[in-house]
Amino acid sequence: MAVEDRLFRALAVLRGVTLANAVVLNLYRAENFQRPAGGVACVLVMAAWTAFAVWAYAAPRRRTVVLLAADLAVAVALLAATPLVKGDGFNATVPGFWVAGALLAWAVRYRWVGGLVAAAVLVAADVLVREELTQSNYGNVFLLFIGGPIVGFMCGSLQEMAAERDRAERSAAAAAERARLARAVHDGVLQVLSLVQRRGAELGGEAAELARLAGEQESRLRTLIRTQERTTDEAAGGSGAGAVLDLAAELGRLESRAQVTVAAPATPVELPRDVVRELCAVVGACLDNVANHVGAQAPAWVLLEAFPDRVELSVRDEGPGIPEGRLERAAAEGRLGVSESIRGRVADLGGTATLSTGSFGTEWELVVPVPAPGSAGAADRRR
């Protein structure tokens, strides 16, 4: 509606300009009128209707089909009155370019279809009142026919762009709010969970189980916070359709964690932004599990290998391994950290996640195909 309001304000200015042009031209051609009084009446009608139309179109609630039909009818009536006041064999109609006001009003309100309908009506009226169609008249008719639909199409495009901008602004505001809430969680809940995990492990017994559960919830919340931070960054900086990131560089940032070593190719491993973000989230979830179940200072290794058709990631630790049946029991109890944060994400990317565990430690082997150039990203595949 804001776009339409602005266009009708611009149209109000155009109406004034075309009215002034029509008045000056009719005064200049006054000797062409066989009935001067009729010509004066036509000009007065044009002036009165221009004033009324500017007022009427200013309010959205008055932009009804009745108003637009009346606007078009006045323009057609003035075209039809031209041979009555000028006589046969006239060259220029009384309203002239003033009829463009009605044409553009239909284009703004009903887009290219409205512009085409109004153009057809005005062209038919203009042609029927003439004795012959000259080259000059044909040029005016052609401009009416292409001007209405083109302006209507542009109006529709502007409105779609404004709607997309509004959606982007709402998404950015929502992302900023989620980031604010995530910071609040980070400052409060995560600290409490960390304290419960540490004290429960020290107390042992049932408190140790409580500490384990607190550690799992802390891992989930940290994953959620990282996801919201990525959403905020993308909303602020945009995410173009062809945006890519260097997976090796993004994984290298994980070395800021204690005892984490990342080995990656020296050359960039560029993949679509969504794929890189998801793979980093998977590796982050694996490292969270190492910190929670092996120890915050337990060493972990991340290895990235790039091939023409796929990338392979391995995340390894030297902990005691995962007891047999532990993951199945966790899934049955509704704790889906591994199945959703790791296996689910990799499956969404069209890859596989293989777990090897035992007394030697735990190792995840992640294999994800490299999307073909121009193919849809991970988000499209999930849909």
Side-chain angles (χ1 to χ4, degrees):
M1 188 59 66
V3 173
E4 189 174 291
D5 289 343
R6 180 168 295 186
L7 291 172
F8 273 113
R9 287 196 296 269
L11 181 55
V13 176
L14 179 64
R15 285 181 183 271
V17 172
T18 55
L19 174 64
N21 178 73
V23 171
V24 171
L25 288 179
N26 281 304
L27 288 174
Y28 178 74
R29 300 165 179 164
E31 67 277 3
N32 295 335
F33 286 89
Q34 293 183 359
R35 297 178 178 84
V40 172
C42 289
V43 172
L44 291 176
V45 168
M46 291 166 57
W49 184 258
T50 298
F52 172 78
V54 169
W55 169 82
Y57 284 112
R61 68 178 184 277
R62 292 194 289 265
R63 297 170 196 159
T64 63
V65 66
V66 175
L67 175 62
L68 281 112
D71 196 4
L72 191 58
V74 170
V76 170
L78 288 168
L79 289 172
T82 298
L84 299 177
V85 298
K86 283 193 169 184
D88 297 332
F90 65 91
N91 291 323
T93 61
V94 173
F97 291 113
W98 182 85
V99 299
L103 172 68
L104 297 181
W106 277 74
V108 171
R109 189 70 180 90
Y110 299 116
R111 309 300 176 252
W112 71 269
V113 175
L116 182 61
V117 170
V121 173
L122 292 172
V123 166
D126 188 270
V127 171
L128 290 174
V129 298
R130 297 180 184 275
E131 291 183 347
E132 61 178 351
L133 187 62
T134 65
Q135 184 175 356
S136 176
N137 295 333
Y138 170 78
N140 294 334
V141 167
F142 179 74
L143 288 176
L144 284 176
F145 249 128
I146 67 171
I150 288 177
V151 171
F153 176 79
M154 293 178 61
C155 292
S157 298
L158 286 173
Q159 200 164 41
E160 291 175 3
M161 291 170 60
E164 292 174 357
R165 179 204 61 196
D166 291 343
R167 285 193 295 270
E169 289 178 350
R170 287 194 295 269
S171 297
E177 178 62 15
R178 287 195 297 268
R180 186 188 67 81
L181 294 175
R183 288 193 296 270
V185 170
H186 183 274
D187 293 340
V189 179
L190 286 179
Q191 291 182 11
V192 173
L193 289 175
S194 179
L195 176 62
V196 171
Q197 181 183 9
R198 185 170 62 254
R199 291 292 296 155
E202 294 173 356
L203 294 174
E206 295 183 355
E209 178 64 14
L210 179 62
R212 183 184 63 79
L213 294 175
E216 291 180 354
Q217 294 301 318
E218 181 186 10
S219 174
R220 293 182 185 179
L221 286 175
R222 289 189 186 278
T223 301
L224 175 63
I225 290 172
R226 284 195 298 271
T227 302
Q228 301 304 339
E229 288 175 345
R230 291 197 304 272
T231 303
T232 303
D233 293 341
E234 291 173 2
S239 56
V244 296
L245 287 177
D246 181 7
L247 178 59
E250 294 297 315
L251 290 175
R253 298 178 183 180
L254 296 175
E255 288 191 320
S256 60
R257 297 190 180 200
Q259 303 299 318
V260 174
T261 302
V262 177
T267 57
V269 181
E270 294 186 341
L271 294 174
R273 180 194 300 269
D274 292 340
V275 176
V276 173
R277 295 302 192 191
E278 288 295 285
L279 286 176
C280 289
V282 171
V283 175
C286 294
L287 296 176
D288 286 340
N289 287 336
V290 174
N292 291 328
H293 301 294
V294 183
Q297 299 301 317
W301 294 266
V302 179
L303 172 64
L304 170 63
E305 295 180 279
F307 300 93
D309 61 335
R310 70 190 187 279
V311 293
E312 294 184 3
L313 273 166
S314 65
V315 184
R316 180 174 61 86
D317 66 68
E318 294 182 342
I322 302 175
E324 185 177 355
R326 170 71 177 276
L327 298 180
E328 290 74 11
R329 290 195 301 272
E333 295 170 2
R335 293 180 280 114
L336 306 176
V338 171
S339 63
E340 293 298 330
S341 296
I342 299 176
R343 286 178 173 150
R345 277 193 168 104
V346 174
D348 287 344
L349 296 174
T352 58
T354 304
L355 174 64
S356 301
T357 185
S359 58
F360 58 86
T362 300
E363 182 174 6
W364 282 99
E365 291 285 347
L366 314 174
V367 180
V368 175
V370 174
S375 64
D380 293 329
R381 285 194 294 273
R382 285 195 294 273
R383 288 193 292 269

